[in-house]
Amino acid sequence: MDLTTRQEKIVRIVKEFEPITGEEIAKKLDLTRATLRPDLSILTMTGVLEAKPRVGYYFAGKTGLNLVTKELKNIKVGMYHSRPVIVERNISVYDAICKMFDDDVGTLFVVEDNLLVGVVSRKDLLRASIGSQNVMNVPVNIIMTRMPNINYCREDDSVYEIVKLLIDKQIDSVPVVRECENGLEVIGRFTKTNVSRAFVRVIQDNE
Ligand code: ADP
């Protein structure tokens, strides 16, 4: 919401002197209480200010920036994740490299009986390729990061929490999983690109 100059002045005064009565705000602005009434109504109705009877006005904090911050914290992985690219654990390093190019991703999720068992990144494949082994014969199973060391998330996790996880663990993505009887089924891929998309969307929605 765009505030008028006078409304911005009111907010500044309330922030500094809260709790403050309408009468006192009017005095500071050299205006009458009646002149301020419509502005104070708008500011309380939109949640920028909070009015407490017989006490005065408080700053409630729902300015544009605070709204964006709140929304960023509330958005869920399920709204932004991408389709997962999955390979079987016995696929060769060579075929995994081809798969990565074909599907244009930086991380493959490895499954056995449809359940998550590993993660293979670009650097894992590069490392295996510059080693002495024959990439045609080495299965990804040998080089992957495996359970229980895999970081993953669920659709209803907050994007904010998962961004912190990506930063903390220094990884580019996590599989989005659903618990099933014998383990974890991979239903998505949540990457740094998804984070950027979420960020842009929230800003655009608030413009
Ligand atoms: P790259 O290695 O291509 O830079 P990452 O930074 O995502 O890609 O991966 C770094 C290391 O972390 C790799 O060894 C990879 O196997 C591992 N890794 C990637 N994603 C995960 C994850 N979700 N959980 C655990 N380990 C991961």
Side-chain angles (χ1 to χ4, degrees), residues 68-76 79 157-160:
V68 170
T69 311
K70 209 167 165 196
E71 212 168 315
L72 273 174
K73 280 191 175 168
N74 282 342
I75 50 177
K76 305 286 182 205
M79 296 156 69
D157 282 334
S158 108
V159 165
Y160 178 59

Side-chain angles (χ1 to χ4, degrees), residues 107 119-124 127 145 149-151 170-175:
T107 310
V119 172
V120 181
S121 74
R122 276 176 286 218
K123 261 187 240 138
D124 292 334
R127 202 178 297 116
T145 300
N149 298 324
I150 301 177
N151 298 110
Q170 301 187 6
I171 49 178
D172 291 343
S173 67
V174 284

Side-chain angles (χ1 to χ4, degrees), residues 70-104:
K70 209 167 165 196
E71 212 168 315
L72 273 174
K73 280 191 175 168
N74 282 342
I75 50 177
K76 305 286 182 205
V77 163
M79 296 156 69
Y80 289 96
H81 71 74
S82 303
R83 138 195 105 76
V85 180
I86 292 170
V87 294
E88 294 290 330
R89 65 195 306 236
N90 55 0
I91 185 180
S92 70
V93 167
Y94 178 87
D95 285 338
I97 294 172
C98 296
K99 180 82 178 155
M100 213 174 240
F101 272 101
D102 287 347
D103 288 67
D104 197 16

